[in-house]
Amino acid sequence: VQLQASGGGLVQAGGSLRLSCVISGRTASSSTMGWLRQAPGKDRESVASIKWRDDFIYYAPFVRGRFAISMDSAKNTVYLQMNNLQPEDTGVYYCAADGPSGDYEYWGVGTQVTVSS
């Protein structure tokens, strides 16, 4: 199983970015897929997750109303649309997929998101 994330970059506060994560080796629609982030000096935290088959979506309170997670099952791709970005959203964003244990076991290489004030 491999995950390939892309779409990070530098944006001004109030701007938008869309992250993409392509999964290979398994079907995205049958997995729990998530986006997590890690800011400098902080622990990694969950941002959003989706389990398409169960129509389940989760958002962390600090992104609710600003970010949107979605899945294109035909492309085996998960997206994270990030709007109204703020400097505190700066960090490395990772996509992940669950394994048999139910925990995230498969990880993509992180993509850097930097929001300037």
PDB file of all heavy atoms in Angstrom, residues 74-109:
ATOM      1  N   ALA A  74     -13.293   6.700  -7.961  1.00  0.00           N
ATOM      2  CA  ALA A  74     -12.830   6.256  -9.275  1.00  0.00           C
ATOM      3  C   ALA A  74     -11.338   6.517  -9.453  1.00  0.00           C
ATOM      4  O   ALA A  74     -10.647   5.780 -10.154  1.00  0.00           O
ATOM      5  CB  ALA A  74     -13.619   6.950 -10.378  1.00  0.00           C
ATOM      6  N   LYS A  75     -10.847   7.570  -8.817  1.00  0.00           N
ATOM      7  CA  LYS A  75      -9.430   7.928  -8.904  1.00  0.00           C
ATOM      8  C   LYS A  75      -8.644   7.431  -7.701  1.00  0.00           C
ATOM      9  O   LYS A  75      -7.439   7.668  -7.609  1.00  0.00           O
ATOM     10  CB  LYS A  75      -9.272   9.439  -9.036  1.00  0.00           C
ATOM     11  CG  LYS A  75      -9.856  10.011 -10.320  1.00  0.00           C
ATOM     12  CD  LYS A  75      -9.608  11.515 -10.400  1.00  0.00           C
ATOM     13  CE  LYS A  75     -10.147  12.072 -11.705  1.00  0.00           C
ATOM     14  NZ  LYS A  75      -9.913  13.546 -11.813  1.00  0.00           N
ATOM     15  N   ASN A  76      -9.340   6.782  -6.758  1.00  0.00           N
ATOM     16  CA  ASN A  76      -8.667   6.307  -5.540  1.00  0.00           C
ATOM     17  C   ASN A  76      -7.912   7.442  -4.853  1.00  0.00           C
ATOM     18  O   ASN A  76      -6.766   7.273  -4.412  1.00  0.00           O
ATOM     19  CB  ASN A  76      -7.712   5.153  -5.859  1.00  0.00           C
ATOM     20  CG  ASN A  76      -8.028   3.890  -5.080  1.00  0.00           C
ATOM     21  OD1 ASN A  76      -9.137   3.712  -4.578  1.00  0.00           O
ATOM     22  ND2 ASN A  76      -7.048   3.011  -4.973  1.00  0.00           N
ATOM     23  N   THR A  77      -8.560   8.571  -4.780  1.00  0.00           N
ATOM     24  CA  THR A  77      -7.908   9.783  -4.302  1.00  0.00           C
ATOM     25  C   THR A  77      -8.768  10.462  -3.246  1.00  0.00           C
ATOM     26  O   THR A  77      -9.986  10.539  -3.391  1.00  0.00           O
ATOM     27  CB  THR A  77      -7.658  10.760  -5.462  1.00  0.00           C
ATOM     28  OG1 THR A  77      -6.820  10.119  -6.427  1.00  0.00           O
ATOM     29  CG2 THR A  77      -6.980  12.036  -4.981  1.00  0.00           C
ATOM     30  N   VAL A  78      -8.100  10.946  -2.208  1.00  0.00           N
ATOM     31  CA  VAL A  78      -8.754  11.729  -1.164  1.00  0.00           C
ATOM     32  C   VAL A  78      -8.232  13.155  -1.244  1.00  0.00           C
ATOM     33  O   VAL A  78      -7.036  13.372  -1.465  1.00  0.00           O
ATOM     34  CB  VAL A  78      -8.466  11.142   0.227  1.00  0.00           C
ATOM     35  CG1 VAL A  78      -9.073  12.013   1.316  1.00  0.00           C
ATOM     36  CG2 VAL A  78      -9.041   9.739   0.332  1.00  0.00           C
ATOM     37  N   TYR A  79      -9.127  14.100  -1.055  1.00  0.00           N
ATOM     38  CA  TYR A  79      -8.771  15.512  -1.132  1.00  0.00           C
ATOM     39  C   TYR A  79      -9.034  16.197   0.203  1.00  0.00           C
ATOM     40  O   TYR A  79      -9.904  15.788   0.980  1.00  0.00           O
ATOM     41  CB  TYR A  79      -9.606  16.215  -2.212  1.00  0.00           C
ATOM     42  CG  TYR A  79      -9.466  15.611  -3.577  1.00  0.00           C
ATOM     43  CD1 TYR A  79     -10.408  14.701  -4.057  1.00  0.00           C
ATOM     44  CD2 TYR A  79      -8.387  15.937  -4.402  1.00  0.00           C
ATOM     45  CE1 TYR A  79     -10.283  14.138  -5.313  1.00  0.00           C
ATOM     46  CE2 TYR A  79      -8.259  15.378  -5.661  1.00  0.00           C
ATOM     47  CZ  TYR A  79      -9.209  14.484  -6.113  1.00  0.00           C
ATOM     48  OH  TYR A  79      -9.077  13.927  -7.354  1.00  0.00           O
ATOM     49  N   LEU A  80      -8.291  17.245   0.429  1.00  0.00           N
ATOM     50  CA  LEU A  80      -8.563  18.122   1.564  1.00  0.00           C
ATOM     51  C   LEU A  80      -8.565  19.547   1.029  1.00  0.00           C
ATOM     52  O   LEU A  80      -7.505  20.092   0.701  1.00  0.00           O
ATOM     53  CB  LEU A  80      -7.521  17.971   2.673  1.00  0.00           C
ATOM     54  CG  LEU A  80      -7.822  18.781   3.939  1.00  0.00           C
ATOM     55  CD1 LEU A  80      -9.066  18.220   4.651  1.00  0.00           C
ATOM     56  CD2 LEU A  80      -6.629  18.772   4.900  1.00  0.00           C
ATOM     57  N   GLN A  81      -9.746  20.102   0.904  1.00  0.00           N
ATOM     58  CA  GLN A  81      -9.889  21.497   0.493  1.00  0.00           C
ATOM     59  C   GLN A  81      -9.771  22.368   1.732  1.00  0.00           C
ATOM     60  O   GLN A  81     -10.546  22.205   2.683  1.00  0.00           O
ATOM     61  CB  GLN A  81     -11.240  21.723  -0.188  1.00  0.00           C
ATOM     62  CG  GLN A  81     -11.492  23.162  -0.588  1.00  0.00           C
ATOM     63  CD  GLN A  81     -10.553  23.643  -1.675  1.00  0.00           C
ATOM     64  OE1 GLN A  81     -10.289  22.924  -2.640  1.00  0.00           O
ATOM     65  NE2 GLN A  81     -10.041  24.857  -1.537  1.00  0.00           N
ATOM     66  N   MET A  82      -8.810  23.249   1.731  1.00  0.00           N
ATOM     67  CA  MET A  82      -8.558  24.103   2.884  1.00  0.00           C
ATOM     68  C   MET A  82      -8.807  25.556   2.501  1.00  0.00           C
ATOM     69  O   MET A  82      -8.112  26.098   1.637  1.00  0.00           O
ATOM     70  CB  MET A  82      -7.116  23.914   3.369  1.00  0.00           C
ATOM     71  CG  MET A  82      -6.755  22.457   3.652  1.00  0.00           C
ATOM     72  SD  MET A  82      -5.122  22.244   4.376  1.00  0.00           S
ATOM     73  CE  MET A  82      -4.095  22.768   3.009  1.00  0.00           C
ATOM     74  N   ASN A  83      -9.794  26.146   3.133  1.00  0.00           N
ATOM     75  CA  ASN A  83     -10.153  27.537   2.877  1.00  0.00           C
ATOM     76  C   ASN A  83      -9.894  28.387   4.115  1.00  0.00           C
ATOM     77  O   ASN A  83      -9.814  27.875   5.232  1.00  0.00           O
ATOM     78  CB  ASN A  83     -11.628  27.630   2.489  1.00  0.00           C
ATOM     79  CG  ASN A  83     -11.959  26.866   1.230  1.00  0.00           C
ATOM     80  OD1 ASN A  83     -11.156  26.794   0.292  1.00  0.00           O
ATOM     81  ND2 ASN A  83     -13.132  26.268   1.201  1.00  0.00           N
ATOM     82  N   ASN A  84      -9.785  29.687   3.890  1.00  0.00           N
ATOM     83  CA  ASN A  84      -9.556  30.621   5.000  1.00  0.00           C
ATOM     84  C   ASN A  84      -8.396  30.147   5.882  1.00  0.00           C
ATOM     85  O   ASN A  84      -8.499  30.094   7.106  1.00  0.00           O
ATOM     86  CB  ASN A  84     -10.826  30.780   5.832  1.00  0.00           C
ATOM     87  CG  ASN A  84     -10.733  31.936   6.807  1.00  0.00           C
ATOM     88  OD1 ASN A  84      -9.943  32.857   6.625  1.00  0.00           O
ATOM     89  ND2 ASN A  84     -11.532  31.887   7.863  1.00  0.00           N
ATOM     90  N   LEU A  85      -7.304  29.804   5.237  1.00  0.00           N
ATOM     91  CA  LEU A  85      -6.150  29.321   5.979  1.00  0.00           C
ATOM     92  C   LEU A  85      -5.580  30.412   6.879  1.00  0.00           C
ATOM     93  O   LEU A  85      -5.594  31.598   6.525  1.00  0.00           O
ATOM     94  CB  LEU A  85      -5.078  28.828   5.000  1.00  0.00           C
ATOM     95  CG  LEU A  85      -5.368  27.448   4.392  1.00  0.00           C
ATOM     96  CD1 LEU A  85      -4.577  27.249   3.114  1.00  0.00           C
ATOM     97  CD2 LEU A  85      -5.046  26.356   5.400  1.00  0.00           C
ATOM     98  N   GLN A  86      -5.107  29.989   8.025  1.00  0.00           N
ATOM     99  CA  GLN A  86      -4.535  30.893   9.010  1.00  0.00           C
ATOM    100  C   GLN A  86      -3.109  30.451   9.352  1.00  0.00           C
ATOM    101  O   GLN A  86      -2.756  29.286   9.143  1.00  0.00           O
ATOM    102  CB  GLN A  86      -5.406  30.901  10.263  1.00  0.00           C
ATOM    103  CG  GLN A  86      -6.828  31.363  10.031  1.00  0.00           C
ATOM    104  CD  GLN A  86      -6.909  32.777   9.484  1.00  0.00           C
ATOM    105  OE1 GLN A  86      -6.241  33.691   9.980  1.00  0.00           O
ATOM    106  NE2 GLN A  86      -7.719  32.959   8.439  1.00  0.00           N
ATOM    107  N   PRO A  87      -2.297  31.355   9.872  1.00  0.00           N
ATOM    108  CA  PRO A  87      -0.911  30.984  10.193  1.00  0.00           C
ATOM    109  C   PRO A  87      -0.812  29.744  11.090  1.00  0.00           C
ATOM    110  O   PRO A  87       0.139  28.965  10.941  1.00  0.00           O
ATOM    111  CB  PRO A  87      -0.378  32.229  10.895  1.00  0.00           C
ATOM    112  CG  PRO A  87      -1.157  33.355  10.283  1.00  0.00           C
ATOM    113  CD  PRO A  87      -2.534  32.796  10.059  1.00  0.00           C
ATOM    114  N   GLU A  88      -1.769  29.554  11.956  1.00  0.00           N
ATOM    115  CA  GLU A  88      -1.731  28.380  12.845  1.00  0.00           C
ATOM    116  C   GLU A  88      -2.000  27.065  12.116  1.00  0.00           C
ATOM    117  O   GLU A  88      -1.856  25.993  12.695  1.00  0.00           O
ATOM    118  CB  GLU A  88      -2.709  28.537  14.013  1.00  0.00           C
ATOM    119  CG  GLU A  88      -4.129  28.864  13.612  1.00  0.00           C
ATOM    120  CD  GLU A  88      -4.408  30.364  13.611  1.00  0.00           C
ATOM    121  OE1 GLU A  88      -3.493  31.159  13.287  1.00  0.00           O
ATOM    122  OE2 GLU A  88      -5.565  30.721  13.925  1.00  0.00           O
ATOM    123  N   ASP A  89      -2.385  27.152  10.842  1.00  0.00           N
ATOM    124  CA  ASP A  89      -2.561  25.940  10.032  1.00  0.00           C
ATOM    125  C   ASP A  89      -1.239  25.475   9.420  1.00  0.00           C
ATOM    126  O   ASP A  89      -1.191  24.425   8.768  1.00  0.00           O
ATOM    127  CB  ASP A  89      -3.569  26.188   8.903  1.00  0.00           C
ATOM    128  CG  ASP A  89      -4.973  26.457   9.428  1.00  0.00           C
ATOM    129  OD1 ASP A  89      -5.413  25.732  10.347  1.00  0.00           O
ATOM    130  OD2 ASP A  89      -5.622  27.390   8.905  1.00  0.00           O
ATOM    131  N   THR A  90      -0.201  26.249   9.618  1.00  0.00           N
ATOM    132  CA  THR A  90       1.113  25.887   9.084  1.00  0.00           C
ATOM    133  C   THR A  90       1.593  24.574   9.675  1.00  0.00           C
ATOM    134  O   THR A  90       1.467  24.333  10.874  1.00  0.00           O
ATOM    135  CB  THR A  90       2.129  27.001   9.385  1.00  0.00           C
ATOM    136  OG1 THR A  90       1.758  28.175   8.649  1.00  0.00           O
ATOM    137  CG2 THR A  90       3.539  26.588   9.001  1.00  0.00           C
ATOM    138  N   GLY A  91       2.127  23.726   8.822  1.00  0.00           N
ATOM    139  CA  GLY A  91       2.667  22.461   9.275  1.00  0.00           C
ATOM    140  C   GLY A  91       2.858  21.501   8.119  1.00  0.00           C
ATOM    141  O   GLY A  91       2.596  21.852   6.960  1.00  0.00           O
ATOM    142  N   VAL A  92       3.316  20.323   8.446  1.00  0.00           N
ATOM    143  CA  VAL A  92       3.436  19.257   7.459  1.00  0.00           C
ATOM    144  C   VAL A  92       2.161  18.424   7.527  1.00  0.00           C
ATOM    145  O   VAL A  92       1.773  17.963   8.607  1.00  0.00           O
ATOM    146  CB  VAL A  92       4.673  18.377   7.717  1.00  0.00           C
ATOM    147  CG1 VAL A  92       4.748  17.267   6.690  1.00  0.00           C
ATOM    148  CG2 VAL A  92       5.939  19.231   7.685  1.00  0.00           C
ATOM    149  N   TYR A  93       1.536  18.271   6.398  1.00  0.00           N
ATOM    150  CA  TYR A  93       0.277  17.526   6.322  1.00  0.00           C
ATOM    151  C   TYR A  93       0.544  16.142   5.749  1.00  0.00           C
ATOM    152  O   TYR A  93       1.215  16.003   4.718  1.00  0.00           O
ATOM    153  CB  TYR A  93      -0.728  18.282   5.461  1.00  0.00           C
ATOM    154  CG  TYR A  93      -1.351  19.452   6.190  1.00  0.00           C
ATOM    155  CD1 TYR A  93      -0.583  20.567   6.528  1.00  0.00           C
ATOM    156  CD2 TYR A  93      -2.694  19.442   6.562  1.00  0.00           C
ATOM    157  CE1 TYR A  93      -1.145  21.646   7.209  1.00  0.00           C
ATOM    158  CE2 TYR A  93      -3.267  20.508   7.240  1.00  0.00           C
ATOM    159  CZ  TYR A  93      -2.476  21.596   7.560  1.00  0.00           C
ATOM    160  OH  TYR A  93      -3.046  22.661   8.240  1.00  0.00           O
ATOM    161  N   TYR A  94      -0.015  15.151   6.431  1.00  0.00           N
ATOM    162  CA  TYR A  94       0.154  13.763   6.027  1.00  0.00           C
ATOM    163  C   TYR A  94      -1.199  13.143   5.718  1.00  0.00           C
ATOM    164  O   TYR A  94      -2.180  13.398   6.408  1.00  0.00           O
ATOM    165  CB  TYR A  94       0.789  12.945   7.161  1.00  0.00           C
ATOM    166  CG  TYR A  94       2.153  13.409   7.596  1.00  0.00           C
ATOM    167  CD1 TYR A  94       2.298  14.372   8.601  1.00  0.00           C
ATOM    168  CD2 TYR A  94       3.309  12.878   7.028  1.00  0.00           C
ATOM    169  CE1 TYR A  94       3.543  14.791   9.012  1.00  0.00           C
ATOM    170  CE2 TYR A  94       4.569  13.297   7.438  1.00  0.00           C
ATOM    171  CZ  TYR A  94       4.673  14.255   8.418  1.00  0.00           C
ATOM    172  OH  TYR A  94       5.915  14.672   8.825  1.00  0.00           O
ATOM    173  N   CYS A  95      -1.235  12.294   4.701  1.00  0.00           N
ATOM    174  CA  CYS A  95      -2.413  11.458   4.520  1.00  0.00           C
ATOM    175  C   CYS A  95      -2.089  10.071   5.031  1.00  0.00           C
ATOM    176  O   CYS A  95      -0.929   9.636   5.012  1.00  0.00           O
ATOM    177  CB  CYS A  95      -2.886  11.437   3.079  1.00  0.00           C
ATOM    178  SG  CYS A  95      -1.766  10.673   1.910  1.00  0.00           S
ATOM    179  N   ALA A  96      -3.111   9.393   5.504  1.00  0.00           N
ATOM    180  CA  ALA A  96      -2.934   8.078   6.099  1.00  0.00           C
ATOM    181  C   ALA A  96      -4.145   7.206   5.804  1.00  0.00           C
ATOM    182  O   ALA A  96      -5.249   7.704   5.569  1.00  0.00           O
ATOM    183  CB  ALA A  96      -2.736   8.207   7.611  1.00  0.00           C
ATOM    184  N   ALA A  97      -3.904   5.900   5.850  1.00  0.00           N
ATOM    185  CA  ALA A  97      -4.981   4.933   5.646  1.00  0.00           C
ATOM    186  C   ALA A  97      -4.933   3.905   6.769  1.00  0.00           C
ATOM    187  O   ALA A  97      -3.850   3.565   7.278  1.00  0.00           O
ATOM    188  CB  ALA A  97      -4.831   4.244   4.296  1.00  0.00           C
ATOM    189  N   ASP A  98      -6.100   3.432   7.134  1.00  0.00           N
ATOM    190  CA  ASP A  98      -6.138   2.476   8.244  1.00  0.00           C
ATOM    191  C   ASP A  98      -5.692   1.095   7.795  1.00  0.00           C
ATOM    192  O   ASP A  98      -5.679   0.758   6.619  1.00  0.00           O
ATOM    193  CB  ASP A  98      -7.536   2.413   8.860  1.00  0.00           C
ATOM    194  CG  ASP A  98      -8.580   1.864   7.897  1.00  0.00           C
ATOM    195  OD1 ASP A  98      -8.325   1.845   6.674  1.00  0.00           O
ATOM    196  OD2 ASP A  98      -9.662   1.462   8.371  1.00  0.00           O
ATOM    197  N   GLY A  99      -5.313   0.305   8.798  1.00  0.00           N
ATOM    198  CA  GLY A  99      -4.938  -1.077   8.566  1.00  0.00           C
ATOM    199  C   GLY A  99      -5.900  -2.003   9.274  1.00  0.00           C
ATOM    200  O   GLY A  99      -6.931  -1.562   9.789  1.00  0.00           O
ATOM    201  N   PRO A 100      -5.581  -3.290   9.343  1.00  0.00           N
ATOM    202  CA  PRO A 100      -6.464  -4.262   9.993  1.00  0.00           C
ATOM    203  C   PRO A 100      -6.791  -3.938  11.447  1.00  0.00           C
ATOM    204  O   PRO A 100      -7.857  -4.301  11.950  1.00  0.00           O
ATOM    205  CB  PRO A 100      -5.668  -5.567   9.895  1.00  0.00           C
ATOM    206  CG  PRO A 100      -4.782  -5.377   8.712  1.00  0.00           C
ATOM    207  CD  PRO A 100      -4.417  -3.925   8.717  1.00  0.00           C
ATOM    208  N   SER A 101      -5.869  -3.253  12.116  1.00  0.00           N
ATOM    209  CA  SER A 101      -6.093  -2.902  13.515  1.00  0.00           C
ATOM    210  C   SER A 101      -7.105  -1.777  13.689  1.00  0.00           C
ATOM    211  O   SER A 101      -7.616  -1.544  14.780  1.00  0.00           O
ATOM    212  CB  SER A 101      -4.771  -2.475  14.159  1.00  0.00           C
ATOM    213  OG  SER A 101      -4.336  -1.257  13.598  1.00  0.00           O
ATOM    214  N   GLY A 102      -7.388  -1.076  12.599  1.00  0.00           N
ATOM    215  CA  GLY A 102      -8.252   0.094  12.686  1.00  0.00           C
ATOM    216  C   GLY A 102      -7.497   1.377  12.897  1.00  0.00           C
ATOM    217  O   GLY A 102      -8.055   2.469  12.800  1.00  0.00           O
ATOM    218  N   ASP A 103      -6.211   1.262  13.233  1.00  0.00           N
ATOM    219  CA  ASP A 103      -5.362   2.439  13.362  1.00  0.00           C
ATOM    220  C   ASP A 103      -4.754   2.800  12.010  1.00  0.00           C
ATOM    221  O   ASP A 103      -4.736   1.987  11.086  1.00  0.00           O
ATOM    222  CB  ASP A 103      -4.232   2.169  14.365  1.00  0.00           C
ATOM    223  CG  ASP A 103      -4.751   1.891  15.760  1.00  0.00           C
ATOM    224  OD1 ASP A 103      -5.802   2.464  16.130  1.00  0.00           O
ATOM    225  OD2 ASP A 103      -4.104   1.108  16.491  1.00  0.00           O
ATOM    226  N   TYR A 104      -4.266   4.018  11.909  1.00  0.00           N
ATOM    227  CA  TYR A 104      -3.566   4.408  10.689  1.00  0.00           C
ATOM    228  C   TYR A 104      -2.249   3.632  10.610  1.00  0.00           C
ATOM    229  O   TYR A 104      -1.412   3.741  11.492  1.00  0.00           O
ATOM    230  CB  TYR A 104      -3.296   5.899  10.669  1.00  0.00           C
ATOM    231  CG  TYR A 104      -4.532   6.744  10.482  1.00  0.00           C
ATOM    232  CD1 TYR A 104      -4.819   7.801  11.330  1.00  0.00           C
ATOM    233  CD2 TYR A 104      -5.422   6.482   9.438  1.00  0.00           C
ATOM    234  CE1 TYR A 104      -5.949   8.582  11.161  1.00  0.00           C
ATOM    235  CE2 TYR A 104      -6.561   7.244   9.265  1.00  0.00           C
ATOM    236  CZ  TYR A 104      -6.813   8.290  10.132  1.00  0.00           C
ATOM    237  OH  TYR A 104      -7.943   9.057   9.958  1.00  0.00           O
ATOM    238  N   GLU A 105      -2.101   2.854   9.563  1.00  0.00           N
ATOM    239  CA  GLU A 105      -0.906   2.049   9.410  1.00  0.00           C
ATOM    240  C   GLU A 105      -0.119   2.394   8.164  1.00  0.00           C
ATOM    241  O   GLU A 105       1.037   1.994   8.039  1.00  0.00           O
ATOM    242  CB  GLU A 105      -1.280   0.556   9.387  1.00  0.00           C
ATOM    243  CG  GLU A 105      -1.889   0.058  10.698  1.00  0.00           C
ATOM    244  CD  GLU A 105      -2.102  -1.440  10.713  1.00  0.00           C
ATOM    245  OE1 GLU A 105      -1.564  -2.128   9.829  1.00  0.00           O
ATOM    246  OE2 GLU A 105      -2.817  -1.930  11.598  1.00  0.00           O
ATOM    247  N   TYR A 106      -0.736   3.112   7.257  1.00  0.00           N
ATOM    248  CA  TYR A 106      -0.075   3.458   6.011  1.00  0.00           C
ATOM    249  C   TYR A 106      -0.045   4.978   5.906  1.00  0.00           C
ATOM    250  O   TYR A 106      -1.059   5.654   6.110  1.00  0.00           O
ATOM    251  CB  TYR A 106      -0.825   2.844   4.827  1.00  0.00           C
ATOM    252  CG  TYR A 106      -1.017   1.356   4.971  1.00  0.00           C
ATOM    253  CD1 TYR A 106      -2.247   0.835   5.366  1.00  0.00           C
ATOM    254  CD2 TYR A 106       0.036   0.473   4.734  1.00  0.00           C
ATOM    255  CE1 TYR A 106      -2.427  -0.527   5.513  1.00  0.00           C
ATOM    256  CE2 TYR A 106      -0.135  -0.887   4.878  1.00  0.00           C
ATOM    257  CZ  TYR A 106      -1.364  -1.378   5.273  1.00  0.00           C
ATOM    258  OH  TYR A 106      -1.532  -2.732   5.428  1.00  0.00           O
ATOM    259  N   TRP A 107       1.134   5.481   5.580  1.00  0.00           N
ATOM    260  CA  TRP A 107       1.356   6.924   5.587  1.00  0.00           C
ATOM    261  C   TRP A 107       2.012   7.380   4.297  1.00  0.00           C
ATOM    262  O   TRP A 107       2.887   6.688   3.754  1.00  0.00           O
ATOM    263  CB  TRP A 107       2.264   7.313   6.752  1.00  0.00           C
ATOM    264  CG  TRP A 107       1.647   7.041   8.083  1.00  0.00           C
ATOM    265  CD1 TRP A 107       1.643   5.852   8.766  1.00  0.00           C
ATOM    266  CD2 TRP A 107       0.938   7.974   8.900  1.00  0.00           C
ATOM    267  NE1 TRP A 107       0.961   5.990   9.954  1.00  0.00           N
ATOM    268  CE2 TRP A 107       0.536   7.289  10.062  1.00  0.00           C
ATOM    269  CE3 TRP A 107       0.618   9.328   8.763  1.00  0.00           C
ATOM    270  CZ2 TRP A 107      -0.190   7.912  11.080  1.00  0.00           C
ATOM    271  CZ3 TRP A 107      -0.097   9.945   9.776  1.00  0.00           C
ATOM    272  CH2 TRP A 107      -0.494   9.243  10.921  1.00  0.00           C
ATOM    273  N   GLY A 108       1.587   8.545   3.846  1.00  0.00           N
ATOM    274  CA  GLY A 108       2.271   9.176   2.733  1.00  0.00           C
ATOM    275  C   GLY A 108       3.363  10.091   3.248  1.00  0.00           C
ATOM    276  O   GLY A 108       3.415  10.428   4.431  1.00  0.00           O
ATOM    277  N   VAL A 109       4.227  10.485   2.355  1.00  0.00           N
ATOM    278  CA  VAL A 109       5.217  11.497   2.693  1.00  0.00           C
ATOM    279  C   VAL A 109       4.490  12.827   2.880  1.00  0.00           C
ATOM    280  O   VAL A 109       3.591  13.158   2.115  1.00  0.00           O
ATOM    281  CB  VAL A 109       6.270  11.619   1.587  1.00  0.00           C
ATOM    282  CG1 VAL A 109       7.250  12.750   1.890  1.00  0.00           C
ATOM    283  CG2 VAL A 109       7.022  10.298   1.422  1.00  0.00           C
TER     284      VAL A 109
END
